[in-house]
Amino acid sequence: MILAAIPTIAARLYGETRVRGVMFPSLALAPFGQLFAGIDGRHDIPVQKVCPAPLSSGWRGCAVELIVQPAAGITPTLAAVEAAAKALDLVIFRFDLKPLERAIEEAVKRGVVVRALIAHTNRGGEKGLRQLELRMLGAGVTVNRTAGDLVRYHCKLMLVDREELHVYGFNYTARDLRSRSFGLITRDRKSVQEALRLFEADAQREECEPE
């Protein structure tokens, strides 16, 4: 699991967060107070740019976008897929968004190398996941299945052109887009590289040691 809990990142103001042995700088999200005040007042903030602090190594000048559901909906994810020019890597636990599936198919048609790492199981069973694998394969996506050594592979992330990392607390499902959840988007090189390295390792079912 790469970044299984967005709240963990949001809550930690300093230092680093370790998730499955991979180090990611934590974020000091000062606007969270304003954000939650807005949520409490029933005024959703769909996407907000925040700056991490302190400015630790590798994060100088780095902007982070905070996605707030349900206000943001499918828009940030769909826009990222439609903007992909070279490569698109997705980790999927649940998926039923047809507009997103069509956007992935169109990405393949325009020459984007698309890879999907799909969970071996979820509480709804394996049938839907295996059907998704077949549809993805039919569309020209390179499909890998997670190993069965974990109780579940609950990660939801996307890498766009090996330059932009999306980490979601929500699944690619209509139900989750109607629920309160968060996502982060960053172009921080270190975080993108670490996420890609772990994606590669899990796709090949290999161990991944932190760097």
Side-chain angles (χ1 to χ4, degrees):
M1 231 179 285
I2 298 178
L3 294 179
I6 296 296
T8 300
I9 302 174
R12 292 284 298 276
L13 298 183
Y14 299 98
E16 292 180 316
T17 299
R18 184 183 294 272
V19 182
R20 198 181 175 186
V22 179
M23 301 300 293
F24 288 85
S26 289
L27 306 179
L29 300 181
F32 256 76
Q34 177 185 351
L35 170 69
F36 285 112
I39 291 173
D40 186 59
R42 302 186 183 276
H43 300 294
D44 275 344
I45 304 172
V47 179
Q48 182 172 356
K49 292 192 176 183
V50 297
C51 285
L55 294 175
S56 57
S57 176
W59 282 79
R60 297 190 181 278
C62 172
V64 175
E65 289 186 68
L66 174 66
I67 300 171
V68 182
Q69 298 294 9
I74 195 176
T75 301
T77 304
L78 192 60
V81 171
E82 291 174 344
K86 298 175 292 185
L88 187 66
D89 299 316
L90 302 102
V91 180
I92 298 169
F93 183 67
R94 297 182 189 275
F95 189 109
D96 66 13
L97 297 175
K98 290 301 181 181
L100 185 58
E101 189 169 341
R102 288 194 294 269
I104 291 170
E105 294 171 358
E106 289 301 316
V108 174
K109 290 178 182 178
R110 65 176 182 268
V112 178
V113 177
V114 181
R115 301 186 299 174
L117 177 59
I118 299 177
H120 70 285
T121 190
N122 59 35
R123 191 169 62 179
E126 299 183 15
K127 184 177 179 179
L129 291 170
R130 303 296 80 84
Q131 291 173 342
L132 175 63
E133 287 175 349
L134 291 174
R135 294 200 306 273
M136 291 278 186
L137 287 168
V141 176
T142 299
V143 174
N144 292 94
R145 187 182 304 170
T146 64
D149 58 330
L150 300 173
V151 174
R152 61 179 180 172
Y153 198 96
H154 200 235
C155 175
K156 286 83 67 174
L157 71 78
M158 182 169 65
L159 288 152
V160 184
D161 291 335
R162 312 289 169 85
E163 296 175 349
E164 184 174 275
L165 170 63
H166 293 230
V167 184
Y168 303 139
F170 50 90
N171 289 289
Y172 308 98
T173 65
R175 180 177 181 178
D176 272 19
L177 295 187
R178 295 193 300 269
S179 305
R180 173 68 70 218
S181 191
F182 301 100
L184 294 176
I185 306 173
T186 182
R187 296 177 71 87
D188 171 62
R189 176 183 262 180
K190 181 178 178 180
S191 296
V192 171
Q193 289 176 342
E194 283 290 85
L196 178 60
R197 195 167 63 87
L198 189 53
F199 179 98
E200 300 278 7
D202 284 351
Q204 300 301 318
R205 304 189 179 187
E206 298 174 348
E207 291 295 322
C208 184
E209 295 296 327
E211 289 185 349

